[in-house]
Amino acid sequence: MKTKISITLLFLMFLCVVFLLGAQKACAECFGAPLPGGFAGEYMGTYVGDDYGTFVITISPQGTIEGYLTIQKGPKTLPMNGSCSYGGDCEFHSYKEEISFSGKIDFSCKIKGTWSQKEPSTKGIFIAAKIKPQHP
Protein backbone atom coordinates (compact mmCIF):
# COMPACT_ATOMS: atom_id res chain seq x y z
CA MET A 1 0.00 0.00 0.00
CA LYS A 2 2.78 2.44 0.95
CA THR A 3 4.59 1.60 -2.29
CA LYS A 4 1.52 2.49 -4.39
CA ILE A 5 1.13 5.80 -2.52
CA SER A 6 4.85 6.56 -2.95
CA ILE A 7 4.72 5.80 -6.67
CA THR A 8 1.57 7.90 -7.06
CA LEU A 9 3.18 10.81 -5.20
CA LEU A 10 6.35 10.56 -7.30
CA PHE A 11 4.25 10.53 -10.46
CA LEU A 12 2.28 13.59 -9.33
CA MET A 13 5.51 15.40 -8.44
CA PHE A 14 6.85 14.55 -11.90
CA LEU A 15 3.70 15.97 -13.52
CA CYS A 16 4.04 19.15 -11.45
CA VAL A 17 7.65 19.60 -12.57
CA VAL A 18 6.68 19.07 -16.20
CA PHE A 19 3.83 21.57 -15.84
CA LEU A 20 6.08 24.16 -14.18
CA LEU A 21 8.75 23.76 -16.87
CA GLY A 22 6.05 24.27 -19.50
CA ALA A 23 4.85 27.42 -17.72
CA GLN A 24 8.43 28.68 -17.52
CA LYS A 25 8.85 28.07 -21.25
CA ALA A 26 5.66 30.03 -22.00
CA CYS A 27 6.91 32.92 -19.87
CA ALA A 28 10.36 32.73 -21.47
CA GLU A 29 8.78 32.97 -24.91
CA CYS A 30 7.02 36.13 -23.80
CA PHE A 31 9.63 37.70 -21.59
CA GLY A 32 12.93 36.05 -22.49
CA ALA A 33 15.79 36.37 -20.00
CA PRO A 34 17.20 38.20 -18.15
CA LEU A 35 14.67 40.86 -17.13
CA PRO A 36 14.04 43.64 -18.01
CA GLY A 37 15.60 42.71 -21.36
CA GLY A 38 12.95 40.05 -21.79
CA PHE A 39 10.25 42.69 -21.82
CA ALA A 40 11.95 44.30 -24.81
CA GLY A 41 9.82 45.00 -27.84
CA GLU A 42 7.10 47.20 -29.22
CA TYR A 43 3.76 47.60 -27.44
CA MET A 44 0.55 49.15 -28.75
CA GLY A 45 -1.95 50.46 -26.24
CA THR A 46 -5.08 52.45 -25.58
CA TYR A 47 -6.15 54.55 -22.64
CA VAL A 48 -9.64 55.60 -21.57
CA GLY A 49 -11.25 57.60 -18.77
CA ASP A 50 -11.61 61.37 -18.56
CA ASP A 51 -9.74 61.49 -21.91
CA TYR A 52 -8.84 58.79 -24.41
CA GLY A 53 -6.29 57.90 -27.02
CA THR A 54 -3.66 55.46 -28.17
CA PHE A 55 0.07 55.02 -27.75
CA VAL A 56 2.97 52.99 -29.07
CA ILE A 57 6.04 52.38 -26.93
CA THR A 58 9.27 50.47 -27.40
CA ILE A 59 10.96 48.90 -24.39
CA SER A 60 14.71 48.43 -24.88
CA PRO A 61 16.61 45.41 -23.48
CA GLN A 62 17.85 47.75 -20.73
CA GLY A 63 14.27 48.67 -19.74
CA THR A 64 14.21 52.15 -21.29
CA ILE A 65 10.87 53.21 -22.78
CA GLU A 66 10.50 55.51 -25.80
CA GLY A 67 7.37 56.14 -27.82
CA TYR A 68 4.52 58.44 -28.69
CA LEU A 69 1.03 59.18 -27.44
CA THR A 70 -1.93 60.25 -29.59
CA ILE A 71 -4.60 62.26 -27.79
CA GLN A 72 -7.88 61.83 -29.67
CA LYS A 73 -9.38 65.10 -28.41
CA GLY A 74 -7.41 67.55 -30.44
CA PRO A 75 -5.97 65.37 -32.00
CA LYS A 76 -2.26 65.66 -31.22
CA THR A 77 0.76 63.39 -30.91
CA LEU A 78 3.33 63.70 -28.13
CA PRO A 79 6.64 61.90 -27.52
CA MET A 80 6.95 59.77 -24.36
CA ASN A 81 9.73 58.18 -22.32
CA GLY A 82 10.16 56.13 -19.14
CA SER A 83 11.46 52.83 -17.84
CA CYS A 84 10.58 49.27 -16.77
CA SER A 85 12.02 47.49 -13.73
CA TYR A 86 13.16 43.88 -13.38
CA GLY A 87 9.82 43.03 -11.78
CA GLY A 88 7.85 44.38 -14.75
CA ASP A 89 6.75 47.66 -13.18
CA CYS A 90 6.61 50.35 -15.87
CA GLU A 91 6.43 54.13 -15.59
CA PHE A 92 6.27 56.40 -18.65
CA HIS A 93 5.02 59.89 -19.41
CA SER A 94 4.63 62.45 -22.16
CA TYR A 95 7.05 65.35 -22.34
CA LYS A 96 4.69 68.32 -22.69
CA GLU A 97 1.26 67.36 -21.37
CA GLU A 98 2.54 65.64 -18.22
CA ILE A 99 0.37 62.59 -18.82
CA SER A 100 1.81 59.80 -16.66
CA PHE A 101 1.27 56.06 -17.05
CA SER A 102 1.98 53.51 -14.32
CA GLY A 103 1.48 49.78 -14.84
CA LYS A 104 2.88 46.28 -14.77
CA ILE A 105 3.65 43.70 -17.45
CA ASP A 106 1.90 40.38 -16.82
CA PHE A 107 2.61 36.83 -18.01
CA SER A 108 0.60 37.37 -21.20
CA CYS A 109 2.85 40.24 -22.37
CA LYS A 110 0.29 42.93 -21.56
CA ILE A 111 0.87 46.11 -19.61
CA LYS A 112 -2.12 47.21 -17.52
CA GLY A 113 -2.38 50.20 -15.25
CA THR A 114 -3.59 53.73 -14.66
CA TRP A 115 -2.85 57.11 -16.18
CA SER A 116 -3.28 60.67 -14.95
CA GLN A 117 -2.71 64.24 -16.08
CA LYS A 118 -2.13 67.25 -13.83
CA GLU A 119 -3.59 70.05 -15.99
CA PRO A 120 -6.43 69.60 -16.69
CA SER A 121 -6.93 67.07 -13.91
CA THR A 122 -7.84 63.83 -15.72
CA LYS A 123 -7.26 60.14 -15.09
CA GLY A 124 -8.21 56.66 -16.25
CA ILE A 125 -6.92 53.19 -17.10
CA PHE A 126 -4.84 51.74 -19.92
CA ILE A 127 -3.81 48.45 -21.49
CA ALA A 128 -1.05 47.69 -23.98
CA ALA A 129 -0.07 44.46 -25.70
CA LYS A 130 3.27 43.41 -27.13
CA ILE A 131 3.14 43.44 -30.92
CA LYS A 132 4.07 40.03 -32.26
CA PRO A 133 6.32 39.95 -35.35
CA GLN A 134 4.55 39.17 -38.59
CA HIS A 135 5.62 35.94 -40.32
CA PRO A 136 5.42 35.62 -44.12
Side-chain angles (χ1 to χ4, degrees):
M1 182 71 164
K2 286 185 179 182
T3 305
K4 286 184 180 181
I5 293 172
S6 296
I7 291 172
T8 303
L9 287 174
L10 284 173
F11 181 72
L12 289 173
M13 288 172 55
F14 173 76
L15 288 178
C16 288
V17 168
V18 170
F19 174 77
L20 290 173
L21 288 175
Q24 273 188 323
K25 181 180 179 192
C27 287
E29 289 171 358
C30 174
F31 296 126
L35 299 176
F39 297 134
E42 190 172 22
Y43 293 77
M44 184 176 289
T46 186
Y47 66 98
V48 295
D50 296 331
D51 203 346
Y52 63 97
T54 59
F55 61 90
V56 175
I57 57 172
T58 301
I59 302 175
S60 76
Q62 296 75 32
T64 304
I65 295 175
E66 296 286 329
Y68 63 89
L69 166 75
T70 301
I71 299 171
Q72 296 304 320
K73 293 180 184 176
K76 58 182 162 182
T77 302
L78 303 169
M80 294 195 315
N81 69 358
S83 64
C84 258
S85 72
Y86 279 88
D89 294 316
C90 297
E91 302 281 337
F92 50 101
H93 61 276
S94 67
Y95 293 116
K96 295 179 182 177
E97 299 292 322
E98 296 183 17
I99 299 174
S100 298
F101 293 79
S102 178
K104 185 168 182 86
I105 298 176
D106 67 17
F107 70 94
S108 64
C109 299
K110 290 184 176 65
I111 308 171
K112 299 174 188 172
T114 59
W115 66 271
S116 63
Q117 182 177 7
K118 291 181 182 178
E119 292 294 327
S121 179
T122 55
K123 62 184 176 182
I125 59 171
F126 77 90
I127 187 167
K130 191 170 186 179
I131 300 170
K132 306 246 188 281
Q134 298 289 328
H135 296 288

